[in-house]
Amino acid sequence: MTKLILKRNSEWNNKLRDYGIYIDDKKIGTIANGETKEFDLDSGNYNINGKIDWCKSPKINFEITENDSKEFEISGYKYGRLISIISAFFALIYFLALYIFDKQLNFLILIVVIGLIYPFYFLTFGKNRYLRIREIK
């Protein structure tokens, strides 16, 4: 039997939800935040992708041979964690400047809005790339 090893990164923005794992459009299981799972497969060619709610990852084709193993990593959209932290930081700076120092730093609002639009894109038009899956060599 061959093994498919799947690792999920630990992320706070999708922490409470499990990702569905699909091989050739059939659900083979779920993976929780920060978890690593192994699945048994027969040798052959397969497509793998992940899904969460209405969002998913692109399909990746792979071939697995007898007594071989393939390892994949799945995570949320690129820079998801970083963009959220940066937006929250600039929002905090804006409100501190406005209410404590009585300064209008309106250019910071633009940074916060961009930080809100980025994840909105992946929840709407980019829903087929909300998750990323890649083979680990």
Side-chain angles (χ1 to χ4, degrees), residues 7 9 17 20 26 30 36 47 60 81 112 132:
K7 295 180 179 182
N9 294 336
R17 300 179 299 170
K26 294 179 184 172
T30 61
T36 299
N47 292 320
I60 293 187
R81 190 177 346 178
V112 173
R132 293 183 303 158

Side-chain angles (χ1 to χ4, degrees), residues 54-134:
W54 63 89
C55 301
K56 59 185 176 180
S57 71
K59 291 180 181 178
I60 293 187
N61 298 318
F62 69 97
E63 181 180 357
I64 194 163
T65 57
E66 192 64 36
N67 298 324
D68 193 12
S69 65
K70 291 284 185 178
E71 193 170 342
F72 290 91
E73 179 181 68
I74 189 165
S75 61
Y77 56 90
K78 193 171 189 176
Y79 306 122
R81 190 177 346 178
L82 184 63
I83 292 291
S84 300
I85 291 170
I86 290 171
S87 294
F89 174 75
F90 281 112
L92 178 66
I93 296 297
Y94 173 77
F95 286 114
L96 285 175
L98 183 63
Y99 293 111
I100 293 178
F101 301 109
D102 200 26
K103 297 285 182 188
Q104 290 278 337
L105 301 176
N106 292 333
F107 69 93
L108 293 177
I109 294 173
L110 179 63
I111 297 171
V112 173
V113 168
I114 290 170
L116 294 175
I117 290 173
Y118 185 74
F120 182 74
Y121 166 77
F122 285 102
L123 291 171
T124 56
F125 302 109
K127 67 182 176 80
N128 294 332
R129 289 179 304 205
Y130 182 86
L131 296 178
R132 293 183 303 158
I133 191 165
R134 66 180 183 92

Side-chain angles (χ1 to χ4, degrees), residues 11-30:
E11 303 168 313
W12 65 269
N13 53 342
N14 291 318
K15 187 176 192 94
L16 300 177
R17 300 179 299 170
D18 293 348
Y19 295 166
I21 305 303
Y22 292 80
I23 298 288
D24 293 336
D25 296 323
K26 294 179 184 172
K27 188 173 186 178
I28 62 167
T30 61

